[in-house]
Amino acid sequence: MDNDSAQDFSNGLTQRNSAIIAGLGLLVMVFAAPIANFYFMSQSVVKGDIAATVNGLQSNGTPFLIGTFLLFVTYVMDIIVAWALFWYLRKDQRALSQLVAWSRLIYTALAFVGLSSSILAYDLAVSLSISNLFSESDIQTMVFAHLSAAKSMESMALMLFGVHLGMLSILLWRSTVTPSWLSIPVGLAGTSYIGMYLGKYFAPDVDWGWLILFALGELVLMVWLLAFGWRKQS
């Protein structure tokens, strides 16, 4: 084992451990994010009816809180996955691996900003002190503003996530520790994220929901890491 590999083993992660950590992190996100967005958050946020949304948060905000917690877990997993993938892919592409890791961390930071807006919206809806200071219509307006800000930040974050996946696909193509074909589903996933959220602004009348099928491409990387990636040695 050369000096660089020995240093990695003593101060960082081995390829075996980094593959397992990255794969498990992606696995947690596979369940946490969809359950949060499509089950718990959808119960609390009534599209196009801010009055019903505020009333729902005031009467039973538990689903909303569970959803925000699961999103928090998802974003924490993003940080861990960025760290683990850096160690796994850094062997012969250190600079590009760093760029890919930092792009995921920046995406995660933007996602946390959006999540904080959602939490502020909840606080405005249920706070007794706020309700004593403002009228119901004012509270609805503020809640709507924060939920809209959260949605806009989420869109910006996910577009950046698409760019991250595009760079990750290049890294996978050039890496000697992963098969080059992994870059294809990951690259398609990145393109789908960018397409969905740009399409929402430039072609709002078009249904871009079918692109979500390509967004599942990152799952292929997760399966490969858990099935084969951990078997590689530094």
Side-chain angles (χ1 to χ4, degrees):
M1 183 178 291
D2 58 26
N3 291 334
D4 184 61
S5 297
Q7 184 178 5
D8 289 352
F9 183 81
S10 61
N11 296 327
L13 290 176
T14 63
Q15 284 189 299
R16 175 187 175 90
N17 291 339
S18 57
I20 292 173
I21 292 171
L24 291 178
L26 290 170
L27 182 61
V28 171
M29 293 160 59
V30 164
F31 290 99
I35 292 174
N37 285 311
F38 300 118
Y39 183 71
F40 288 108
M41 302 299 279
S42 63
Q43 291 183 46
S44 304
V45 179
V46 182
K47 188 175 182 179
D49 193 342
I50 189 60
T53 298
V54 173
N55 290 334
L57 292 175
Q58 291 172 343
S59 61
N60 182 20
T62 301
F64 188 87
L65 292 176
I66 295 175
T68 55
F69 173 74
L70 289 176
L71 289 176
F72 177 83
V73 171
T74 299
Y75 301 146
V76 170
M77 289 299 105
D78 270 304
I79 296 173
I80 294 174
V81 168
W83 168 66
L85 284 180
F86 165 73
W87 282 102
Y88 190 78
L89 297 169
R90 69 188 287 274
K91 180 181 178 182
D92 53 356
Q93 298 289 333
R94 182 181 178 90
L96 183 56
S97 184
Q98 285 179 325
L99 178 62
V100 170
W102 274 110
S103 67
R104 192 168 194 131
L105 292 176
I106 295 171
Y107 146 74
T108 306
L110 293 177
F112 272 124
V113 172
L115 185 61
S116 67
S117 291
S118 295
I119 296 173
L120 284 173
Y122 174 82
D123 289 338
L124 286 169
V126 303
S127 174
L128 293 177
S129 59
I130 294 294
S131 63
N132 292 330
L133 293 174
F134 297 96
S135 66
E136 184 176 349
S137 61
D138 289 337
I139 293 175
Q140 292 175 2
T141 300
M142 289 187 290
V143 170
F144 176 77
H146 281 289
L147 290 178
S148 298
K151 200 66 179 177
S152 297
M153 187 58 67
E154 179 189 35
S155 296
M156 184 183 298
L158 287 174
M159 282 191 285
L160 178 58
F161 186 66
V163 174
H164 158 75
L165 290 179
M167 292 190 293
L168 178 58
S169 69
I170 296 173
L171 177 58
L172 292 171
W173 177 264
R174 298 178 61 181
S175 177
T176 59
V177 298
T178 58
S180 58
W181 62 263
L182 274 177
S183 64
I184 298 175
V186 173
L188 288 174
T191 303
S192 70
Y193 278 108
I194 296 172
M196 280 190 294
Y197 291 95
L198 284 181
K200 183 173 70 173
Y201 293 104
F202 292 100
D205 297 329
V206 178
D207 183 11
W208 299 97
W210 58 273
L211 286 174
I212 195 68
L213 296 175
F214 294 103
L216 300 177
E218 197 181 18
L219 301 185
V220 179
L221 175 60
M222 178 200 75
V223 172
W224 185 86
L225 288 169
L226 294 177
F228 305 103
W230 63 271
R231 301 178 185 180
K232 292 183 176 291
Q233 300 296 324
S234 298

